[in-house]
Amino acid sequence: MSILESKRIVLKVGSALIAPDNQGCRSHHLLGIAQFIVHCRQRGQQVVLVSSGSVAAGRHWFSGKPASVALKKAMAATGQTDMMALWDKLFDFPSAQILLTHADLCQRERYMSIMETIESLLEHDILPIVNENDTVASKELMVGDNDNLAAMIAAASAADSLIICTDVDGLFNKNPSIHADAVRLETVNQINADIHAMAGDAVSDTGTGGMRTKLEAAVKATAQGIDTYIINGFNQESFMQLLDGNNPGTHFVANRARSSSAVLWMKHTAKAKGEVLIAEADDSVNGEQDITLDSVVAVEGDFAVGDTILVRNVNGTKMAKAKSNYSSCLLNYVLTQGSVRQPTSTDEQPLSIISKDNVAML
């Protein structure tokens, strides 16, 4: 699928494009991006903008380097206003600010509310501009980078395509700043270990993400049927090529055989509240049958009925994320007291702690 075929696009713009050199907001790199959004809307395509940059935009108002998390939050509070004002100047149509924490995304009721809000904004031709709420987010509530946030928003908004802007022309087989013979991958059909190895650990001087987080975002998005592009946002030609139906960066092809939205949300967005450990050789965790109490060796953490939990084997290997049918308190009691009535006939089934329809294999 090319961008021209997309009905709904999520576009992620990083801090380095918003506030180069941490010297406040600048429109220089954003003009081409704004024109791209305008052209998409003129074609009848809907756009959701995920914009980093609040901390970088506000940093120049504070003397010296940030000495604390509290100071960074103050920078975000100051810079968020400047950033939204800049975007507003670039468009002749209304925009709306949506500030989120991971808690908003991993709580199912709030997640559904976000979906409804974005849908209502798009129906009224208002541009949603999403950013992590750095001012209030604690370490436990942070997504941490807007690449992964963009993938979550792409899923929540039922987008066809996700475009992630960076400072290189896509994913290369080796670091292009070091190796002159580095080759850009135009199309990636499957993100495997070899692809991950190409990402390295580079991080922008301005932002919090590197190619690694962009690959993580591509994994999340493509699993949910969303074509993902990593392009050079500093090169205005990138956006012209997209509008011509060409691929200026790396295209990660969407997985068309996708699971239900609830299972994908659980796998890629929800945070596990606890864990159940199963025997190493237990092959019942396969996503095709219920996980029963017979498989459980131990229960860790504190979770309630309906919470998302992690399923591991006793060696620590992550096997699945799932929705628990029982609380940790009850499961621990059952395991320690051995008080569950055993089946008295072949027609009775062992206690199902996780239903197969609520399992997301990892």
Side-chain angles (χ1 to χ4, degrees):
M1 175 184 287
S2 77
I3 288 298
L4 300 183
E5 300 173 79
S6 298
K7 295 180 180 180
R8 186 171 293 179
I9 300 167
V10 170
L11 174 63
K12 185 267 175 177
V13 177
S15 299
L17 288 162
I18 300 288
D21 304 319
N22 293 308
Q23 295 301 310
C25 293
R26 299 287 186 272
S27 63
H28 177 70
H29 298 304
L30 304 184
L31 294 174
I33 296 172
Q35 290 174 355
F36 173 76
I37 293 173
V38 169
H39 283 303
C40 287
R41 287 168 58 95
Q42 289 174 343
R43 292 171 184 257
Q45 296 171 302
Q46 296 175 322
V47 180
V48 177
L49 177 61
V50 176
S51 177
S52 302
S54 60
V55 175
R59 192 183 300 274
H60 71 292
W61 295 111
F62 297 81
S63 59
K65 294 184 178 180
S68 65
V69 172
L71 189 56
K72 284 188 176 181
K73 291 178 182 291
M75 291 176 181
T78 306
Q80 187 67 35
T81 304
D82 291 346
M83 186 178 74
M84 285 300 299
L86 176 59
W87 281 121
D88 206 42
K89 289 179 182 177
L90 294 173
F91 301 120
D92 59 359
F93 46 80
S95 60
Q97 176 179 256
I98 302 176
L99 294 174
L100 303 172
T101 67
H102 202 177
D104 300 313
L105 292 161
C106 65
Q107 207 282 336
R108 188 64 178 171
E109 186 176 349
R110 294 190 207 174
Y111 183 83
M112 298 300 291
S113 178
I114 293 166
M115 292 176 63
E116 293 168 356
T117 300
I118 292 174
E119 193 67 37
S120 295
L121 291 169
L122 293 173
E123 285 177 0
H124 290 82
D125 293 326
I126 298 172
L127 175 70
I129 301 180
V130 184
N131 191 13
E132 183 155 24
N133 195 349
D134 295 318
T135 300
V136 302
S138 63
K139 184 176 181 180
E140 292 76 17
L141 299 181
M142 291 179 65
V143 177
D145 66 90
N146 273 9
D147 296 321
N148 279 286
L149 176 63
M152 296 175 189
I153 293 301
S157 59
D160 304 298
S161 296
L162 167 64
I163 303 171
I164 300 176
C165 297
T166 185
D167 57 358
V168 292
D169 294 332
L171 177 66
F172 286 75
N173 63 344
K174 57 182 77 172
N175 191 334
S177 63
I178 299 176
H179 303 280
D181 61 342
V183 177
R184 174 172 62 90
L185 280 65
E186 292 191 9
T187 304
V188 175
N189 291 301
Q190 182 180 11
I191 304 175
N192 53 29
D194 291 337
I195 297 297
H196 279 290
M198 297 176 188
D201 296 315
V203 176
S204 166
D205 290 336
T206 306
T208 57
M211 190 58 70
R212 178 182 55 80
T213 62
K214 290 167 179 56
L215 278 188
E216 291 173 356
V219 169
K220 288 181 173 68
T222 54
Q224 301 184 74
I226 302 167
D227 284 281
T228 302
Y229 297 82
I230 296 178
I231 68 168
N232 190 335
F234 290 87
N235 184 358
Q236 294 193 20
E237 183 64 25
S238 298
F239 300 100
M240 298 305 297
Q241 289 189 48
L242 286 173
L243 291 171
D244 288 335
N246 300 318
N247 171 23
T250 300
H251 174 202
F252 297 85
V253 179
N255 181 359
R256 305 304 176 194
R258 53 180 294 181
S259 302
S260 71
S261 60
V263 169
L264 289 169
W265 166 82
M266 183 167 52
K267 179 176 181 178
H268 295 293
T269 303
K271 285 188 175 181
K273 297 290 186 67
E275 300 182 6
V276 294
L277 275 62
I278 63 171
E280 179 185 2
D282 196 311
D283 59 359
S284 64
V285 184
N286 53 22
E288 298 178 1
Q289 55 187 320
D290 291 1
I291 299 175
T292 67
L293 187 66
D294 296 345
S295 303
V296 178
V297 174
V299 176
E300 297 182 356
D302 185 13
F303 54 88
V305 175
D307 281 348
T308 298
I309 59 175
L310 186 64
V311 181
R312 295 180 186 263
N313 67 23
V314 290
N315 287 335
T317 303
K318 296 178 181 179
M319 304 187 72
K321 288 173 75 175
K323 184 170 77 171
S324 178
N325 293 337
Y326 297 93
S327 69
S328 56
C329 180
L330 180 57
L331 289 177
N332 272 313
Y333 176 80
V334 168
L335 285 174
T336 56
Q337 300 297 320
S339 60
V340 172
R341 183 174 62 86
Q342 295 301 315
T344 57
S345 74
T346 56
D347 294 331
E348 292 187 64
Q349 300 296 319
L351 185 68
S352 171
I353 64 168
I354 297 170
S355 303
K356 62 182 179 182
D357 294 335
N358 294 320
V359 176
M361 300 302 297
L362 299 179

